[in-house]
């Protein structure tokens, strides 16, 4: 398995779609509890993290549907209860429903596709792995270029790739944190295009 920058999937979300993500994030921010292995977050940080996740989930569903595949959110955004650890329901070729987890991450210092692929790992721990696991990345552009991006933006967001439940073989922890992370560079994920071959 190996992907390149040309495998990244860029999905445009229009203003109405972003507003749906904003509304969901606002409600979820007031109802969810942070995981015990996560650092203490301010309300604003939690909101931004949730919003990135909502936009990432929406983008993956939109892309799958645009390719003729079945994909629906697995989360009742208004339930006030924790989700079941996955974000999307998709269907195998035989019609069986399977779960998909979407992870979103942000890079502040690496802002080229190759740097992101070679530096970062898929942001999941063993207990979070589902049948399909998709990684979405946001990146900032803090340097003095013609167009700086200093906050998360869907203009600087891409679906990187996916892995199956048995693709990840080892785990470690984030540097300076107790949170578990998979030992798999993004470069070693599967391309999103290849996922279409497995889905109805």
């Amino acid at each position: 398995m190996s992907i390149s920058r040309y495998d990244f999937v860029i999905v445009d979300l229009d203003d109405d779609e972003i507003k749906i993500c904003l509304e969901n994030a606002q409600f979820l921010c007031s109802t969810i509890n942070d995981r015990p292995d996560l650092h203490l977050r301010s309300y604003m940080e939690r909101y931004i993290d949730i919003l990135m996740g909502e936009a990432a989930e929406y983008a993956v569903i939109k892309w799958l549907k645009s390719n003729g595949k079945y994909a629906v959110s697995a989360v009742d955004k208004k339930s006030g209860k924790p989700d079941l650890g996955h974000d999307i329901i998709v269907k195998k070729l035989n019609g069986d429903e399977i779960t998909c987890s979407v992870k979103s991450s942000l890079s502040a210092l690496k802002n080229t596709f190759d740097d992101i692929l070679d530096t970062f790992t898929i942001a999941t721990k063993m207990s979070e792995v589902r049948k399909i696991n998709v990684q979405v990345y946001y990146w900032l552009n803090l340097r003095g270029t013609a167009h700086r991006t200093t906050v998360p933006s869907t203009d600087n967001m891409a679906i990187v790739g996916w892995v199956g439940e048995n693709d990840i073989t080892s785990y470690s922890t984030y540097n300076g944190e107790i949170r578990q992370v998979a030992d798999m560079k993004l470069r070693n994920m599967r391309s999103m295009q290849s996922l279409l071959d497995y889905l109805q």
Side-chain angles (χ1 to χ4, degrees):
M1 296 184 298
S2 180
I3 60 175
S4 75
R5 59 185 176 176
Y6 303 108
D7 294 309
F8 276 43
V9 173
I10 307 296
V11 178
D12 290 325
L13 299 183
D14 63 33
D15 290 350
D16 288 335
E17 291 168 329
I18 293 296
K19 287 175 184 176
I20 292 171
C21 296
L22 288 164
E23 291 170 3
N24 289 338
Q26 185 173 9
F27 184 83
L28 291 169
C29 196
S30 300
T31 59
I32 68 167
N33 294 318
D34 286 341
R35 300 188 307 267
D37 61 352
L38 192 64
H39 66 276
L40 187 62
R41 299 187 295 178
S42 69
Y43 187 93
M44 185 172 183
E45 181 181 359
R46 184 185 300 115
Y47 178 81
I48 292 169
D49 283 347
I50 293 170
L51 177 57
M52 288 195 303
E54 288 299 299
E57 176 191 316
Y58 202 107
V60 173
I61 291 173
K62 183 175 181 177
W63 182 78
L64 288 170
K65 286 183 172 180
S66 74
N67 282 279
K69 303 302 179 180
Y70 175 88
V72 295
S73 177
V75 183
D76 180 354
K77 310 294 184 181
K78 304 297 183 183
S79 71
K81 299 176 182 178
D83 63 51
L84 299 175
H86 51 269
D87 305 286
I88 299 172
I89 300 293
V90 293
K91 288 183 179 180
K92 296 193 296 185
L93 293 176
N94 67 2
D96 289 348
E97 292 187 348
I98 54 175
T99 57
C100 173
S101 175
V102 178
K103 299 298 182 184
S104 60
S105 300
L106 172 67
S107 172
L109 301 179
K110 304 292 184 180
N111 60 9
T112 68
F113 290 161
D114 284 320
D115 275 347
I116 289 171
L117 286 171
D118 292 326
T119 302
F120 301 115
T121 59
I122 181 172
T124 191
K125 56 185 182 181
M126 189 182 300
S127 63
E128 296 172 342
V129 173
R130 297 298 183 259
K131 293 288 185 183
I132 296 170
N133 308 273
V134 175
Q135 179 69 58
V136 174
Y137 243 91
Y138 297 81
W139 61 94
L140 305 183
N141 186 0
L142 303 177
R143 295 177 177 82
T145 61
H147 178 66
R148 293 199 308 154
T149 304
T150 59
V151 295
S153 169
T154 52
D155 290 336
N156 284 27
M157 176 185 78
I159 307 172
V160 177
W162 75 283
V163 293
E165 62 180 337
N166 298 317
D167 287 336
I168 303 170
T169 57
S170 63
Y171 296 82
S172 57
T173 56
Y174 281 104
N175 188 24
E177 298 186 32
I178 62 171
R179 202 155 40 111
Q180 191 182 55
V181 65
D183 287 326
M184 176 183 275
K185 295 292 188 188
L186 300 182
R187 176 77 71 185
N188 296 320
M189 296 181 72
R190 301 173 186 267
S191 72
M192 290 301 292
Q193 193 64 35
S194 71
L195 179 58
L196 300 178
D197 296 333
Y198 297 93
L199 301 181
Q200 184 184 98

